[in-house]
């Protein structure tokens, strides 16, 4: 995939598309089929081992996803019939992966990407090569999941200008 992505990037550059006007970071959840594993199999998977039963049955092993993980996706509760909104957010269990992308703000082409299991923290991916240093503008837009002191220091040190969203103050308007 890396060599294919590098060829795509070279084709864009030769056609005159230069990354400019900053970059936008975002993440997408990618679902994986839910696994039906025993507690012993789950323990082996967490420890990085292949369960013994699966080693003896290659067809079973080929149908198991050992890298996907569970996470919680938070969303706002919907309005009730009387028009009021519940004070609590909804936590929805999700099994799969997270696909992080960095796109050029002007042309909307994906410049960098990284895929991790769904349980991995969003914010740390920013420091793992997700930012495009060849972009002619230094501004970086992202949602609040990417805001942290470590990320702000990293962007400042690398010469990026942070436009990462801030969380809304509790019990105050935006």
């Amino acid at each position: 995939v890396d060599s294919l992505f590098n060829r795509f990037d070279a084709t864009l550059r030769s056609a005159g598309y230069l990354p400019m006007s900053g970059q936008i970071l975002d993440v997408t959840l990618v679902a994986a089929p839910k696994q039906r594993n025993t507690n012993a199999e789950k323990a082996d998977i967490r420890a990085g081992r292949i369960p013994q039963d699966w080693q003896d049955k290659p067809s079973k092993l080929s149908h198991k996803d050992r890298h996907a993980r569970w996470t919680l996706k938070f969303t706002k509760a919907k309005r009730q019939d009387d028009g009021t909104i519940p004070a609590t957010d909804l936590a929805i269990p999700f099994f799969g992966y997270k696909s992080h992308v960095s796109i050029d703000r002007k042309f909307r082409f994906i410049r960098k990407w990284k895929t991790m299991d769904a349980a991995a923290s969003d914010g740390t991916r920013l420091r793992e090569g997700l930012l495009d240093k060849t972009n002619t503008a230094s501004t970086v837009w992202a949602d609040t999941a990417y805001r942290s002191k470590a990320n702000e220091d990293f962007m400042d040190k690398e010469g990026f200008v942070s436009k990462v969203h801030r969380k809304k103050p509790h019990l105050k308007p935006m």
Side-chain angles (χ1 to χ4, degrees):
V1 172
D2 286 332
S3 63
L4 180 64
F5 201 78
N6 289 337
R7 284 181 56 196
F8 175 68
D9 188 49
T11 303
L12 287 177
R13 286 184 186 279
S14 66
Y17 291 103
L18 295 176
M20 53 181 50
S21 72
Q23 50 197 309
I24 301 170
L25 304 180
D26 203 7
V27 65
T28 300
L29 292 170
V30 180
K34 293 176 182 68
Q35 307 293 297
R36 308 290 191 256
N37 300 326
T38 65
N39 288 338
E41 291 170 339
K42 289 177 189 176
D44 284 341
I45 291 169
R46 280 191 211 107
R49 297 185 302 266
I50 298 174
Q52 187 62 40
D53 293 351
W54 299 1
Q55 292 175 9
D56 301 337
K57 300 175 186 169
S59 62
K60 185 173 186 173
L61 178 60
S62 69
H63 290 274
K64 295 292 185 173
D65 190 340
R66 296 171 300 168
H67 305 292
R69 296 288 181 265
W70 285 97
T71 191
L72 289 176
K73 179 181 178 188
F74 292 95
T75 185
K76 297 287 182 195
K78 294 183 180 178
R79 289 186 183 273
Q80 295 178 344
D81 292 336
D82 62 0
T84 61
I85 300 175
T88 58
D89 289 341
L90 300 175
I92 302 168
F94 180 86
F95 183 75
Y97 298 91
K98 288 181 180 177
S99 179
H100 299 266
V101 294
S102 172
I103 66 168
D104 176 59
R105 188 168 168 243
K106 181 174 183 180
F107 295 115
R108 307 288 195 227
F109 287 123
I110 295 174
R111 306 298 301 170
K112 301 280 184 176
W113 59 273
K114 191 165 197 69
T115 302
M116 304 297 293
D117 63 76
S121 169
D122 293 351
T124 55
R125 304 294 86 82
L126 183 135
R127 299 185 303 273
E128 295 176 353
L130 197 56
L131 294 176
D132 182 14
K133 293 183 181 184
T134 64
N135 199 303
T136 58
S138 58
T139 50
V140 176
W141 285 265
D143 62 21
T144 56
Y146 293 96
R147 178 169 288 286
S148 70
K149 175 85 168 105
N151 285 349
E152 294 295 319
D153 291 344
F154 174 80
M155 286 189 284
D156 190 44
K157 181 181 150 200
E158 296 292 321
F160 293 105
V161 176
S162 174
K163 299 287 184 181
V164 178
H165 293 177
R166 298 179 185 276
K167 289 186 179 179
K168 180 182 101 45
H170 185 63
L171 299 175
K172 293 186 179 179
M174 291 292 283

